[in-house]
Amino acid sequence: MQKFSNEYLKQILPLYENAVLEAKKYQTTLAMPPGSLGELLEIGARLSGISGILHNSLPKKRIIVLASDNGIADEGVSSAPQSVTAAQAVNMTRRLTGMSVLAKHFGNEVLVVDTGIKCEYDCPEILNRKIRNGTDSFLRGPAMSKEEAVRAIETGLELADMAKNDGVSVVGVGEMGIGNTTTSTAVLAVLKNLSPEKITGRGGGVTDAMLSHKKEVIKKGIEINKPEKDDVIDVLSKVGGFDIAAMCGVFLGCAKNRLPVVIDGYISAVAALCAYRLCPVSAGFFFPSHCSEEAGYKIAVSELGLSPYLNLGMRLGEGSGCPLAFEIMDAACAIMNEMATFSQARINDEYLEEIRNEK
C-alpha cells in the first residue's frame, strides 16, 4: 500500500471532461425531451467522466463498512452500549442488519472491517485492521494520535485498492460504531466553523436531556482540544474516530483508482467532506445516496456540490443507502446503454430545436 501523503493526493486526477461532454452530447440524441430524465442523465455523464467511455455498467458492487468504537461513548452521549458495535458488525456478515439485508436482496457484496472494535467477538468474516480497541474520549484529550489518524486513512486506501484489484465496479461506504454521530458532528462543527448547538442531532435516538448533554460534550471537546479547522488530520485525530478516518481513506482511494463511490448517510458524508478538503477533485467520484435526517447532513453534502438522490426519512447508517443508490446508478447506465435515439426510434426531432437553443 502506498503511504498517504501529498504525493498520493496528486495522483487523484479529475473526471475526463471530454468524456463527460461526449456523454451529454449523446444524451441530447436520446428520444425524450431535453433533460427530462434529470439526475439519471447527470449520473450517466459522470460515470463516463470516471471511466472515459460512453457506455458503462456496474456488475460488481461492494459495501465497505468501517467498524470502530469511540471513547466519547463513555461520556453518556448514546443510548446504546458499546457492545452493540461488535454485535452488529458480526450480524452484518450474517446478512441480518438493515444494510446487509438490502445488500443481500440486491446481490451486493459486504465487507466489514474492524478498525477499532472494543469488545471481543468471534467472527473470521470480519477483516481485522484494528488500530486499537477504540479511541479515547475527546473530553480527556485527543481521540487519537496524528499517526493513528494517518494509519486509519491508509487502511481506507488499502481497502479501495483491494476493491479495484477484485474487479469491483462501484463501492459504497458505511460504518458501525456507537458514538459516531457525536464524533462526526464534532468534526463537521470544526471544519465548517459552526456551533454544535445548531447541528447536533439525535443519532441512534436519545432523550431531550441526553441531546442537550451531547451538545455540551461536543462543545467542551472542541474547546479542550482546539483542533485546527484547516488541517483535516488534526481535526480527525482530536475529535474524530478510526471509522471516519478510514472512510475518508476509502473515498480518496476510490477516487485515485477511478472507482465511483457512494456516500451513505451523515457519518459517511462527513468522511467524504474530509476527503474533499484533502483533495477537492475527489468529489467528482462521489455519489450521494439518501438524505439523512441528521441536521448536519445537508451542510456536509452542500459543500461537495451534491444533492442526495432519495429522501426516505432514513437515519440508520451502516451503509443502508448504498444498495438503493447502486440501483439508481444501474438505471442511469441502462438509459445510456439501451434507450433509443431519435434516429433509432424513427422520430424527427426538429421540433425540439427551439427548446435546445434556449438551453
Side-chain angles (χ1 to χ4, degrees):
M1 178 179 61
Q2 184 167 353
K3 193 171 179 66
F4 174 72
S5 65
N6 287 331
E7 291 304 311
Y8 183 95
L9 297 177
K10 289 177 183 177
Q11 297 179 60
I12 300 175
L13 303 178
L15 299 179
Y16 299 130
E17 192 58 36
N18 287 343
V20 174
L21 294 175
E22 182 185 357
K24 290 184 175 181
K25 182 178 180 181
Y26 175 74
Q27 288 168 349
T28 66
T29 71
L30 297 177
M32 62 180 172
S36 57
L37 280 174
E39 198 66 34
L40 290 178
L41 301 179
E42 180 63 27
I43 293 170
R46 281 215 285 142
L47 290 174
S48 290
I50 291 172
S51 68
I53 62 175
L54 186 61
H55 300 292
N56 293 279
S57 62
L58 305 170
K60 188 170 183 177
K61 306 169 178 70
R62 176 178 293 174
I63 301 168
I64 301 175
V65 181
L66 289 308
S68 180
D69 279 299
N70 301 279
I72 200 64
D74 294 337
E75 311 298 340
V77 295
S78 176
S79 59
Q82 285 187 297
S83 59
V84 172
T85 301
Q88 285 295 76
V90 172
N91 285 329
M92 286 175 180
T93 69
R94 297 172 179 168
R95 300 302 182 102
L96 297 175
T97 70
M99 172 278 298
S100 54
V101 164
L102 290 172
K104 179 181 178 181
H105 177 75
F106 290 115
N108 308 153
E109 296 180 2
V110 173
L111 176 63
V112 183
V113 185
D114 177 359
T115 58
I117 296 175
K118 183 177 180 178
C119 298
E120 293 185 3
Y121 61 88
D122 181 15
C123 183
E125 290 80 14
I126 294 176
L127 183 64
N128 183 6
R129 292 293 184 273
K130 191 189 296 286
I131 296 167
R132 59 182 163 93
N133 291 338
T135 57
D136 299 322
S137 168
F138 60 61
L139 282 191
R140 304 166 196 173
M144 68 187 89
S145 69
K146 285 190 176 183
E147 291 75 17
E148 288 174 325
V150 170
R151 183 178 165 194
I153 290 174
E154 289 180 340
T155 297
L157 302 181
E158 176 200 359
L159 295 169
D161 287 346
M162 186 186 303
K164 182 70 173 181
N165 292 336
D166 289 346
V168 172
S169 311
V170 58
V171 170
V173 183
E175 41 63 41
M176 184 62 232
I178 300 304
N180 61 12
T181 58
T182 299
T183 53
S184 54
T185 299
V187 170
L188 181 64
V190 175
L191 292 179
K192 299 293 292 183
N193 197 27
L194 294 170
S195 167
E197 188 73 27
K198 295 181 178 180
I199 62 171
T200 304
R202 295 182 181 273
V206 294
T207 64
D208 288 345
M210 289 177 70
L211 178 60
S212 178
H213 173 65
K214 183 177 177 180
K215 292 176 181 178
E216 189 61 27
V217 165
I218 295 170
K219 181 181 177 182
K220 285 184 178 179
I222 293 172
E223 290 173 350
I224 289 168
N225 291 286
K226 297 179 174 56
E228 173 50 57
K229 68 181 183 67
D230 296 322
D231 183 342
V232 171
I233 306 299
D234 190 61
V235 176
L236 286 171
S237 67
K238 288 179 175 175
V239 296
F242 296 141
D243 49 358
I244 300 173
M247 293 163 79
C248 171
V250 175
F251 282 111
L252 291 171
C254 285
K256 187 255 186 185
N257 282 293
R258 303 200 74 82
L259 279 174
V261 55
V262 173
I263 299 169
D264 179 39
Y266 178 48
I267 296 144
S268 189
V270 171
L273 178 60
C274 290
Y276 169 78
R277 288 287 185 93
L278 288 166
C279 181
V281 299
S282 65
F285 298 82
F286 303 168
F287 294 80
S289 57
H290 66 285
C291 182
S292 167
E293 291 285 282
E294 284 291 305
Y297 172 82
K298 291 181 180 178
I299 296 169
V301 295
S302 64
E303 184 172 330
L304 302 174
L306 301 172
S307 296
Y309 304 135
L310 298 167
N311 190 346
L312 299 172
M314 293 171 62
R315 55 184 180 87
L316 175 63
E318 299 183 3
S320 54
C322 298
L324 304 178
F326 291 160
E327 294 301 298
I328 293 171
M329 295 169 76
D330 270 345
C333 290
I335 293 300
M336 292 292 290
N337 298 340
E338 301 176 31
M339 188 172 179
T341 63
F342 282 104
S343 175
Q344 291 167 338
R346 299 181 181 179
I347 297 173
N348 186 332
D349 63 340
E350 290 180 358
Y351 72 97
L352 291 172
E353 284 304 309
E354 186 174 349
I355 296 173
R356 287 171 176 159
N357 289 336
E358 281 192 2
K359 287 182 176 296

